[in-house]
Amino acid sequence: MKTLMIKLHEAWLEMLMAGFMSKTQSKQVLFDFSDILFRHFTWLENELIELDESYNYDRDTIAIKVERLSDLLHNIIKRLDEVDLQLLSSPDKKLNARIASDIHYMREVISNMNDEMITAFSMERVFPGIALTQEATDALTLFLFEETYKEYELIMIYNYLKAHSNDAYLNRIFQILIDESFFHLKSFGEMSAKMGILAVPRVVMKELYQIEDVVQFLKDGIFEEYAAKEECKKLSDAVSKDSPELAKFFDFINHQENYHISLMEDALEYFTGKNNE
């Protein structure tokens, strides 16, 4: 079952990366399928927890650098085949049947997708329709590399916390934060693909999500969100002369961090109160 979890993790990420690469109507289908695979991942995680089996979010390296979308889709189909075979190791036959049904449909749809030339790895570092200065380009490149990983990391952390909590109030907050991080990850991933600098986020160390002191984690997280606001402000200032549109987008992301801070402060207050009862 642990191998199945790894395979699902890899299939989810590779499907998401394919969505970033596509420039046609296939993009939304690939995003939808990646969302479904992530739900499969969480279902299996819950099963492992119910069986009291230890696990982590380790995975193998995912090679996505291709010239044609069909090459990546072929790899994804192979991954889905591996998941299908690994389902035999899971004792929950009803869960297996639900996942298998989804996978069989995905495989059929993907095998019939139109091919595309891929420019997500060109390293041109040019944002379509916008002429950025070298300084602004460098600032945007660094931001996208760092924040794409950070949002993936946050998804893993909040998902692990949610999976190991039975508190409805905290889980509502964790789910909102997961959804917010997915929006940011997709936004930054798409921008990376447009600039030709798309890359798979590195594996998250288990020490980051297997958290023993949740109160300290939330305190540190609030501090990091304030730091993220500053980075968004700096980037907005860096691109504002070349692109008011991009500047407004990063101002928008900056203001979203206020919401994340508020949610984490609510969780901190609630968690502290529970511990003091």
Side-chain angles (χ1 to χ4, degrees):
M1 284 180 60
K2 294 177 183 178
T3 301
L4 173 57
M5 189 168 185
I6 292 171
K7 297 299 181 184
L8 273 172
H9 191 163
E10 293 168 352
W12 155 53
L13 264 185
E14 193 163 20
M15 191 82 78
L16 182 62
M17 294 295 123
F20 293 147
M21 295 177 205
S22 176
K23 302 187 189 76
T24 69
Q25 66 270 23
S26 296
K27 176 184 290 292
Q28 189 56 54
V29 176
L30 292 165
F31 280 157
D32 290 342
F33 284 174
S34 72
D35 289 343
I36 292 171
L37 289 171
F38 183 76
R39 289 196 291 274
H40 292 171
F41 178 77
T42 63
W43 295 349
L44 185 65
E45 181 175 25
N46 289 334
E47 185 179 0
L48 286 168
I49 292 171
E50 289 177 6
L51 294 172
D52 198 27
E53 290 193 26
S54 61
Y55 68 93
N56 57 51
Y57 290 154
D58 288 352
R59 57 173 171 80
D60 293 332
T61 301
I62 302 174
I64 61 168
K65 193 171 183 179
V66 294
E67 294 183 355
R68 305 190 70 89
L69 184 64
S70 58
D71 294 332
L72 192 65
L73 297 181
H74 178 71
N75 291 340
I76 291 174
I77 290 171
K78 289 174 61 177
R79 289 192 188 278
L80 295 179
D81 288 341
E82 292 173 353
V83 169
D84 205 7
L85 286 173
Q86 287 294 328
L87 284 171
L88 298 173
S89 69
S90 173
D92 190 335
K93 301 308 176 186
K94 290 183 179 179
L95 174 61
N96 299 349
R98 293 199 303 271
I99 294 177
S101 176
D102 287 348
I103 285 174
H104 296 165
Y105 177 71
M106 289 181 201
R107 193 164 48 198
E108 180 180 354
V109 171
I110 291 172
S111 64
N112 290 300
M113 275 185 174
N114 293 329
D115 200 6
E116 303 176 42
M117 293 298 297
I118 299 301
T119 60
F121 311 104
S122 68
M123 297 302 292
E124 289 183 358
R125 298 203 305 151
V126 175
F127 201 88
I130 298 173
L132 295 174
T133 63
Q134 188 63 50
E135 179 185 2
T137 298
D138 291 344
L140 181 55
T141 299
L142 181 61
F143 179 91
L144 291 175
F145 272 130
E146 291 180 346
E147 293 304 313
T148 298
Y149 167 72
K150 188 63 181 177
E151 297 301 338
Y152 169 68
E153 176 187 283
L154 289 174
I155 289 169
M156 294 289 94
I157 292 172
Y158 293 132
N159 185 70
Y160 193 89
L161 289 172
K162 180 174 179 285
H164 289 82
S165 169
N166 293 316
D167 190 297
Y169 182 84
L170 286 175
N171 281 353
R172 180 187 67 85
I173 291 177
F174 292 145
Q175 185 59 57
I176 294 171
L177 289 168
I178 291 169
D179 293 341
E180 291 283 301
S181 290
F182 261 117
F183 170 71
H184 286 187
L185 176 59
K186 287 182 177 179
S187 297
F188 301 152
E190 287 229 56
M191 295 176 77
S192 297
K194 288 179 179 178
M195 293 186 70
I197 55 172
L198 183 64
V200 179
R202 62 187 181 275
V203 176
V204 180
M205 295 185 297
K206 63 183 179 181
E207 291 80 10
L208 293 176
Y209 53 84
Q210 293 180 351
I211 297 165
E212 296 183 3
D213 189 342
V214 178
V215 169
Q216 189 59 49
F217 161 74
L218 290 169
K219 289 179 179 178
D220 292 342
I222 291 167
F223 177 80
E224 288 180 10
E225 291 291 346
Y226 277 111
K229 282 176 59 63
E230 288 299 315
E231 291 303 313
C232 287
K233 181 65 169 61
K234 289 179 183 176
L235 186 56
S236 176
D237 292 342
V239 302
S240 60
K241 292 181 180 179
D242 304 324
S243 175
E245 181 182 354
L246 272 182
K248 289 177 183 178
F249 172 76
F250 287 111
D251 283 339
F252 161 66
I253 297 296
N254 177 5
H255 293 308
Q256 281 200 322
E257 303 295 358
N258 293 330
Y259 183 38
H260 303 167
I261 290 168
S262 177
L263 285 166
M264 296 174 79
E265 287 175 341
D266 286 350
L268 178 60
E269 181 179 356
Y270 182 82
F271 205 95
T272 303
K274 292 275 287 186
N275 287 346
N276 291 334
E277 288 180 357

